[in-house]
PDB file of all heavy atoms in Angstrom:
ATOM      1  N   MET A   1       0.855  -1.204   0.000  1.00  0.00           N
ATOM      2  CA  MET A   1       0.000   0.000   0.000  1.00  0.00           C
ATOM      3  C   MET A   1       0.880   1.239   0.000  1.00  0.00           C
ATOM      4  O   MET A   1       1.874   1.297   0.726  1.00  0.00           O
ATOM      5  CB  MET A   1      -0.906   0.003   1.231  1.00  0.00           C
ATOM      6  CG  MET A   1      -1.799   1.233   1.309  1.00  0.00           C
ATOM      7  SD  MET A   1      -2.829   1.232   2.798  1.00  0.00           S
ATOM      8  CE  MET A   1      -3.896  -0.165   2.446  1.00  0.00           C
ATOM      9  N   VAL A   2       0.497   2.217  -0.814  1.00  0.00           N
ATOM     10  CA  VAL A   2       1.246   3.463  -0.876  1.00  0.00           C
ATOM     11  C   VAL A   2       0.777   4.394   0.226  1.00  0.00           C
ATOM     12  O   VAL A   2      -0.427   4.648   0.371  1.00  0.00           O
ATOM     13  CB  VAL A   2       1.068   4.157  -2.245  1.00  0.00           C
ATOM     14  CG1 VAL A   2       1.815   5.472  -2.268  1.00  0.00           C
ATOM     15  CG2 VAL A   2       1.552   3.250  -3.360  1.00  0.00           C
ATOM     16  N   ALA A   3       1.700   4.891   1.040  1.00  0.00           N
ATOM     17  CA  ALA A   3       1.339   5.797   2.142  1.00  0.00           C
ATOM     18  C   ALA A   3       0.901   7.139   1.592  1.00  0.00           C
ATOM     19  O   ALA A   3       1.430   7.610   0.581  1.00  0.00           O
ATOM     20  CB  ALA A   3       2.531   5.977   3.078  1.00  0.00           C
ATOM     21  N   PRO A   4      -0.096   7.808   2.229  1.00  0.00           N
ATOM     22  CA  PRO A   4      -0.524   9.129   1.785  1.00  0.00           C
ATOM     23  C   PRO A   4       0.556  10.142   2.048  1.00  0.00           C
ATOM     24  O   PRO A   4       1.394   9.960   2.937  1.00  0.00           O
ATOM     25  CB  PRO A   4      -1.763   9.410   2.657  1.00  0.00           C
ATOM     26  CG  PRO A   4      -1.550   8.573   3.877  1.00  0.00           C
ATOM     27  CD  PRO A   4      -0.828   7.359   3.428  1.00  0.00           C
ATOM     28  N   PRO A   5       0.598  11.233   1.265  1.00  0.00           N
ATOM     29  CA  PRO A   5       1.575  12.287   1.520  1.00  0.00           C
ATOM     30  C   PRO A   5       1.353  12.896   2.883  1.00  0.00           C
ATOM     31  O   PRO A   5       0.268  12.807   3.466  1.00  0.00           O
ATOM     32  CB  PRO A   5       1.311  13.300   0.393  1.00  0.00           C
ATOM     33  CG  PRO A   5      -0.078  13.019  -0.076  1.00  0.00           C
ATOM     34  CD  PRO A   5      -0.296  11.561   0.136  1.00  0.00           C
ATOM     35  N   ASP A   6       2.415  13.549   3.390  1.00  0.00           N
ATOM     36  CA  ASP A   6       2.363  14.112   4.741  1.00  0.00           C
ATOM     37  C   ASP A   6       1.206  15.070   4.930  1.00  0.00           C
ATOM     38  O   ASP A   6       0.629  15.151   6.002  1.00  0.00           O
ATOM     39  CB  ASP A   6       3.682  14.848   5.053  1.00  0.00           C
ATOM     40  CG  ASP A   6       4.845  13.875   5.182  1.00  0.00           C
ATOM     41  OD1 ASP A   6       4.608  12.749   5.625  1.00  0.00           O
ATOM     42  OD2 ASP A   6       5.968  14.255   4.831  1.00  0.00           O
ATOM     43  N   ASN A   7       0.876  15.848   3.878  1.00  0.00           N
ATOM     44  CA  ASN A   7      -0.158  16.862   4.026  1.00  0.00           C
ATOM     45  C   ASN A   7      -1.515  16.403   3.493  1.00  0.00           C
ATOM     46  O   ASN A   7      -2.402  17.217   3.266  1.00  0.00           O
ATOM     47  CB  ASN A   7       0.249  18.148   3.319  1.00  0.00           C
ATOM     48  CG  ASN A   7       1.226  18.946   4.151  1.00  0.00           C
ATOM     49  OD1 ASN A   7       1.343  18.719   5.350  1.00  0.00           O
ATOM     50  ND2 ASN A   7       1.935  19.867   3.526  1.00  0.00           N
ATOM     51  N   ALA A   8      -1.670  15.131   3.254  1.00  0.00           N
ATOM     52  CA  ALA A   8      -2.964  14.631   2.791  1.00  0.00           C
ATOM     53  C   ALA A   8      -3.993  14.732   3.905  1.00  0.00           C
ATOM     54  O   ALA A   8      -3.669  14.567   5.076  1.00  0.00           O
ATOM     55  CB  ALA A   8      -2.826  13.178   2.344  1.00  0.00           C
ATOM     56  N   PRO A   9      -5.289  14.989   3.558  1.00  0.00           N
ATOM     57  CA  PRO A   9      -6.325  15.051   4.580  1.00  0.00           C
ATOM     58  C   PRO A   9      -6.429  13.717   5.316  1.00  0.00           C
ATOM     59  O   PRO A   9      -6.217  12.649   4.745  1.00  0.00           O
ATOM     60  CB  PRO A   9      -7.598  15.346   3.776  1.00  0.00           C
ATOM     61  CG  PRO A   9      -7.120  15.888   2.467  1.00  0.00           C
ATOM     62  CD  PRO A   9      -5.808  15.264   2.213  1.00  0.00           C
ATOM     63  N   THR A  10      -6.765  13.745   6.567  1.00  0.00           N
ATOM     64  CA  THR A  10      -6.944  12.533   7.351  1.00  0.00           C
ATOM     65  C   THR A  10      -8.412  12.406   7.723  1.00  0.00           C
ATOM     66  O   THR A  10      -9.213  13.304   7.522  1.00  0.00           O
ATOM     67  CB  THR A  10      -6.103  12.588   8.640  1.00  0.00           C
ATOM     68  OG1 THR A  10      -6.675  13.566   9.510  1.00  0.00           O
ATOM     69  CG2 THR A  10      -4.664  12.948   8.348  1.00  0.00           C
TER      70      THR A  10
END
Side-chain angles (χ1 to χ4, degrees):
M1 179 182 293
V2 178
D6 291 328
N7 281 342
T10 70

